[in-house]
Amino acid sequence: MPSALAALLFLGLSLSQGTSTQKQTLSKPVIWAKPSFMIPKGKRAVIWCQGTHKAAEYQLHFEGGLSAFKRPESPGMLNRVKFPIPSMTSQTAGQYRCVYRSGELWSEPSDHLDLVVTGLYDTPTLSVQPRPEVISGEKVTFRCRLETATSTFFLLKEGRSSRPRRRYGNIQAEFPMGPVSTAHRGTYRCFGSYNKHIWSFPSEPVKLLVKGDAGDTTFAPTEHTSSDHWDSYMLTTETQFQEDPVLWDHNAQNLLRIGLLLLVLVALVWLLVEDWLHRKKPQERASRASSQECRRFRAQRALEK
């Protein structure tokens, strides 16, 4: 019995300490940009930051320094704030992070958001070798060239899940690709840049057509390549973020620990009561035996008289 009581007490103290420690930790927020992480010069952008539903204040940090702070207008399960950028420039392009406060505690910083401004330099040219129509299994090379001297080139495939590929060069850079498959079909553009946050105008589109297996006798087209489509693409491409992310709520974890702690306390009380009853029964039997002995003694004395 003592060992069981000690074990329950140890479990209860551990849960209580875990609950107290958990309250000192806040999950990091999520940060993303609208309409895209690439914003043309002079266009409007909005940076969003989302924390837990109890977030009372948000801070936006730009290149390591505090840029702005804001309080949520209507706190709730989807607690988020927005930081507008009225006109995108080279001064507003860079790396952003955000944090939030709940009570007296501040969260961990969010992941980095690299916000890019485009349209700062001349327009590069993009070509694909050996040809834009190839068979699955062949290799191709995209060549991006910008007459204005630069240091970095980016190749981007149109699509929501596309991530830029980076190569270094003064006037030209090559992007080898392959062996290609039908998954490489698509429309590509390239950019020139002096750093990863300030890009040139986009090149004219180059469509890569890949013939599939032996039964595929045509080069299936992909997206059309009009400038209207590129504008639409710019309005829909985002950093990889889900509109309604499942942010871990530590309150649920605390409630679970409190519930387990209550169960331990109930079990502890039950064991104490059972131990008390177990100790009480021998005392009652001894008391009854003593009473019976006393009555027998008195009866014997009465007969002797």
Side-chain angles (χ1 to χ4, degrees), residues 248-279:
W248 181 256
D249 188 356
H250 293 296
N251 290 331
Q253 210 170 23
N254 288 337
L255 289 175
L256 177 61
R257 283 194 170 93
I258 292 173
L260 291 175
L261 182 60
L262 290 176
L263 289 176
V264 170
L265 290 176
V266 170
L268 183 61
V269 171
W270 179 78
L271 287 175
L272 289 173
V273 171
E274 186 181 28
D275 182 66
W276 178 75
L277 292 175
H278 181 74
R279 294 174 182 273

Side-chain angles (χ1 to χ4, degrees), residues 4-24:
L5 292 176
L8 285 173
L9 284 173
F10 177 77
L11 179 59
L13 290 174
S14 299
L15 289 172
S16 177
Q17 184 178 4
T19 302
S20 176
T21 303
Q22 188 69 27
K23 290 180 179 178
Q24 305 301 315

Side-chain angles (χ1 to χ4, degrees), residues 68-140:
F69 65 91
K70 208 169 203 180
R71 295 178 182 273
E73 296 178 359
S74 55
M77 292 305 295
L78 292 180
N79 191 321
R80 60 177 68 170
V81 296
K82 60 180 179 180
F83 298 94
I85 300 176
S87 180
M88 194 68 187
T89 67
S90 58
Q91 283 72 42
T92 56
Q95 195 170 82
Y96 291 83
R97 302 180 85 177
C98 69
V99 296
Y100 68 91
R101 178 180 60 82
S102 179
E104 299 299 323
L105 299 178
W106 285 94
S107 71
E108 299 179 12
S110 68
D111 293 333
H112 293 290
L113 168 66
D114 290 306
L115 194 61
V116 173
V117 60
T118 63
L120 270 295
Y121 313 121
D122 294 335
T123 302
T125 58
L126 179 65
S127 61
V128 59
Q129 301 296 329
R131 57 193 178 276
E133 298 181 356
V134 294
I135 299 174
S136 180
E138 291 186 317
K139 295 182 179 180
V140 298

Side-chain angles (χ1 to χ4, degrees), residues 212-285:
D213 54 31
D216 186 359
T217 59
T218 61
F219 290 92
T222 55
E223 303 90 348
H224 59 82
T225 57
S226 68
S227 59
D228 291 340
H229 176 69
W230 178 252
D231 293 339
S232 175
Y233 164 72
M234 290 294 293
L235 291 175
T236 57
T237 303
E238 305 171 10
T239 54
Q240 293 184 357
F241 172 79
Q242 296 179 351
E243 280 296 324
D244 298 323
V246 180
L247 296 175
W248 181 256
D249 188 356
H250 293 296
N251 290 331
Q253 210 170 23
N254 288 337
L255 289 175
L256 177 61
R257 283 194 170 93
I258 292 173
L260 291 175
L261 182 60
L262 290 176
L263 289 176
V264 170
L265 290 176
V266 170
L268 183 61
V269 171
W270 179 78
L271 287 175
L272 289 173
V273 171
E274 186 181 28
D275 182 66
W276 178 75
L277 292 175
H278 181 74
R279 294 174 182 273
K280 185 178 180 181
K281 288 181 180 179
Q283 294 177 356
E284 290 178 348
R285 287 196 294 267

Side-chain angles (χ1 to χ4, degrees), residues 26-55:
L26 295 175
S27 60
K28 65 182 180 181
V30 180
I31 189 171
W32 73 101
K34 284 278 195 175
S36 166
F37 73 94
M38 297 185 302
I39 308 295
K41 179 183 176 181
K43 297 294 185 181
R44 173 183 170 86
V46 175
I47 297 176
W48 286 88
C49 185
Q50 178 170 320
T52 59
H53 67 279
K54 287 192 174 181

